[in-house]
Amino acid sequence: MAEFIKLYPRNPDLKRLRHVAEVLRNGGLVIYPTDTVYGLGCDIHNARAVERVTRLKGIRPQKAEFSFICFDLSHISDYAKVSNSAFKLMKKALPGPFTFVLETNNRVPKSLNANRKTIGIRVPDNDIPRHLVQELGNPIITTSIRDDDDIIEYSTDPELIFEKFQNLVDVVIDGGYGQNIPSTIVDATTDDFVIIRQGLGDLEAYL
């Protein structure tokens, strides 16, 4: 059964964060809050954990389109090609409720589908996932926790999320109620900055 760990979005407990980072390091799956919806993730370098996530989501690994959560922009050039314009925009908009889609470079782990040409990058305005990444030492993959309800698309109550996933993941972090609007996805592979999905973030405020 998963651990249910309470953390606060501002100044989360370092000892608990280190424990969760160790779970990730050992191939565990963790559900955590972001500045939008709750996410499910694992260490990007653990192929077996990535496979567990794809199984849980019911998708084939080759079809998976996960995003990375990074601590800040310093991680991003390790995995993606970023133009000067895109970097300036991301610097203004992040941390925030955006996913920026960028071209990958050859350092993206092979377990995340070697044929992928793009990757989504998230730097959420929530200290829990960001400091988790900082403690782990590298990004985590992230995918949204969806609800079975036809009306509510995303699960927002951490206790209900725990009930549903307690036998499928290793840790569920209770960071309070989540949003039910996802991040705004922006195609930043060119300097046209096309919105793929309008979510919580207002890109116009940063252009």
Side-chain angles (χ1 to χ4, degrees), residues 1-194:
M1 185 190 278
E3 295 178 80
F4 191 52
I5 296 174
K6 176 74 182 172
L7 285 169
Y8 294 95
R10 299 291 171 216
N11 302 316
D13 184 274
L14 191 56
K15 191 176 173 187
R16 289 180 179 180
L17 275 175
R18 284 179 175 155
H19 169 68
V20 179
E22 195 57 32
V23 170
L24 286 166
R25 207 170 281 122
N26 292 327
L29 303 193
V30 174
I31 291 174
Y32 46 82
T34 69
D35 52 353
T36 57
V37 299
Y38 265 79
L40 163 69
C42 69
D43 184 342
I44 61 168
H45 294 293
N46 193 304
R48 194 171 291 173
V50 173
E51 197 180 308
R52 277 182 69 196
V53 173
T54 58
R55 243 190 350 258
L56 191 52
K57 293 284 285 187
I59 47 180
R60 286 165 50 211
Q62 299 87 337
K63 299 285 183 188
E65 291 193 357
F66 297 128
S67 297
F68 288 5
I69 285 185
C70 297
F71 175 70
D72 59 19
L73 294 183
S74 65
H75 274 306
I76 290 170
S77 59
D78 291 343
Y79 303 100
K81 300 169 187 172
V82 195
S83 71
N84 287 338
S85 302
F87 188 81
K88 282 178 188 168
L89 175 61
M90 291 166 78
K91 202 171 178 184
K92 284 191 277 187
L94 298 175
F98 296 95
T99 300
F100 285 94
V101 176
L102 300 163
E103 277 186 48
T104 58
N105 61 27
N106 56 12
R107 282 177 285 190
V108 171
K110 294 286 180 279
S111 59
L112 292 172
N113 184 358
N115 301 319
R116 289 186 62 178
K117 300 286 189 288
T118 59
I119 189 76
I121 299 290
R122 282 276 276 129
V123 182
D125 188 15
N126 184 310
D127 286 347
I128 294 170
R130 288 181 64 226
H131 287 298
L132 198 50
V133 163
Q134 195 175 36
E135 288 301 321
L136 182 62
N138 57 256
I140 53 179
I141 68 164
T142 184
T143 178
S144 302
I145 294 295
R146 291 185 176 273
D147 202 291
D148 297 331
D149 192 300
D150 290 337
I151 298 164
I152 303 165
E153 193 174 357
Y154 298 96
S155 305
T156 58
D157 183 337
E159 291 192 6
L160 293 179
I161 291 170
F162 178 71
E163 272 181 39
K164 183 176 176 181
F165 289 95
Q166 59 187 328
N167 297 314
L168 300 168
V169 302
D170 302 280
V171 173
V172 175
I173 295 174
D174 174 3
Y177 273 82
Q179 305 261 11
N180 60 3
I181 303 170
S183 65
T184 295
I185 302 176
V186 182
D187 182 347
T189 56
T190 70
D191 290 344
D192 293 333
F193 305 128
V194 177

